[in-house]
Each structure stands twice: as C-alpha cells, then as structure tokens.
C-alpha cells in the first residue's frame, strides 16, 4: 500500500518550481494550455526513467556499501532544506519564462537530469519499492497518477499568470508555501535516515 506521507511528499516536491516546471509554465504562457498538453508524456517518461535508473543503481551499490543509502538520504534531506531556503529567498524574483518554444524532447531531457529525480529515488520512494516488483509498480503508478495533474497545473499556472486572472495565484505565494512545506517534510525524512543508522 502507498502511504499518505509518500503521496504528500511527491505532491509537494512536484509543486515546487524547478527546471521542468518552469518550462511547463513557459509553454502555457507561449502556446496556451491545449497545445502544451503534449509536454506531459515527456515529463512522465523523463521522471520514470531517471527515478528507476537512480533507484536500481543505488540498490546495486548499497550491497557493497551499506552506509550509502543513509548518506544519500541525508544528502537529499539537506538538499530539500537548501531548496526550501532558495525558494523563500527567490520568491519575489520573477520566473524566467522567456524561453524558446518548448519541444517535448527538450522537456524530456530537462526532466531526465532534474535533481528532483535523485531525491525521489533516494528519499521519497520507500526502500521496499526497489526490492519487490509489485511495490515498485504500485509506487511508480501512484507517482505517475500524481505527476499528470500537477504538470497540467503548471501549464495552467503559466497561462493564468499571463492573463492575471487569479490575484492570489502568483509565484511569490506559491514559492513561499512550497518552501514551508519542504521544511516541514525534511524533518521526518532526516529523522528516518538517522534512525536507520
């Protein structure tokens, strides 16, 4: 079974601004919602491949280096805190949405190398999802079900941002809210990593 905690952390991290989400919002601004929907499968595929590769590599290496998963979890938790601070500090700076028209291939590559994929594989996906195929399919399926509407939200956010239709839906509020949530989630994740020592 997939935990509420897993889903909450996935949603929070996917909602935070990053390279992939910036491209999705930029596409929503440039070509609108409907034409931007073709980017969603590219994001899904990029994340599925990147998370799977990271998870398999880390699991393979942890047999000879049993301390590796704990160290990687602590590094990922620290990265979440750094991301939270950076989001708060840059919340008043405008997003750089002056991108060339985004193609699915460019979004796929940006997602494939997105540091969030490493964070998902090391910190968010439970260890048993790398040991039992059914658990991997269940967690990855849940991840995909969550990423699709969130990708749509980022496209719609870009579209609404340029139209100025919802005053409270702005970059500053979104980033500060995401920053607080990331800090909230980094604490139990750090405790979990330290308790496995």
């Amino acid at each position: 079974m997939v935990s509420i905690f897993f889903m909450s952390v996935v949603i929070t991290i996917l909602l935070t601004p990053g390279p992939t989400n910036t491209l999705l919002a930029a596409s929503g601004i440039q070509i609108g919602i409907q034409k931007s929907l073709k980017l969603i499968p590219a994001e899904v595929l990029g994340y599925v491949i990147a998370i799977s590769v990271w998870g398999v590599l880390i699991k393979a290496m942890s047999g000879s280096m049993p301390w590796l998963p704990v160290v990687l979890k602590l590094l990922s938790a620290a990265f979440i805190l750094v991301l939270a601070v950076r989001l708060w500090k840059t919340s008043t700076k405008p997003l750089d949405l002056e991108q060339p028209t985004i193609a699915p291939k460019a979004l796929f590559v940006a997602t494939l190398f997105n540091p969030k994929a490493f964070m998902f594989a090391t910190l968010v996906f439970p260890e048993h999802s790398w040991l039992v195929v059914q658990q991997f399919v269940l967690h990855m399926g849940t991840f995909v079900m969550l990423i699709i509407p969130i990708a749509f939200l980022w496209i719609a956010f870009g579209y609404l941002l340029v139209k100025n239709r919802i005053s409270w839906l702005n970059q500053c509020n979104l980033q500060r809210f995401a920053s607080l949530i990331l800090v909230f989630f980094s604490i139990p994740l750090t405790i979990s990593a330290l308790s496995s020592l």
Side-chain angles (χ1 to χ4, degrees), residues 128-165:
H128 63 270
S129 65
W130 306 114
L131 301 171
V132 182
V133 174
Q134 293 89 341
Q135 287 297 317
F136 172 77
V137 170
L138 182 63
H139 282 84
M140 189 58 80
T142 303
F143 178 84
V144 170
M145 294 292 204
L146 293 171
I147 198 173
I148 292 170
I150 292 172
F152 175 80
L153 284 174
W154 272 100
I155 292 168
F157 173 68
Y159 178 76
L160 292 172
L161 198 62
V162 79
K163 300 288 183 189
N164 274 336
R165 292 193 177 167

Side-chain angles (χ1 to χ4, degrees), residues 78-143:
F79 180 72
I80 287 177
L81 281 174
V82 169
L83 181 62
V85 171
R86 189 182 307 151
L87 281 174
W88 189 273
K89 284 184 175 180
T90 62
S91 63
T92 56
K93 294 181 183 175
L95 283 172
D96 178 19
L97 297 170
E98 297 300 317
Q99 310 274 348
T101 302
I102 295 95
K105 183 179 177 183
L107 190 84
F108 169 76
V109 172
T111 305
L112 198 60
F113 295 104
N114 191 326
K116 289 181 186 179
F118 175 77
M119 213 177 349
F120 285 125
T122 58
L123 198 60
V124 181
F125 274 67
E127 192 174 333
H128 63 270
S129 65
W130 306 114
L131 301 171
V132 182
V133 174
Q134 293 89 341
Q135 287 297 317
F136 172 77
V137 170
L138 182 63
H139 282 84
M140 189 58 80
T142 303
F143 178 84

Side-chain angles (χ1 to χ4, degrees), residues 53-70 72 118 122 130:
V53 168
W54 275 118
V56 169
L57 281 174
I58 291 163
K59 192 65 202 152
M61 293 182 343
S62 64
S64 59
M65 296 180 272
W67 48 267
L68 183 64
V70 175
L72 291 175
F118 175 77
T122 58
W130 306 114

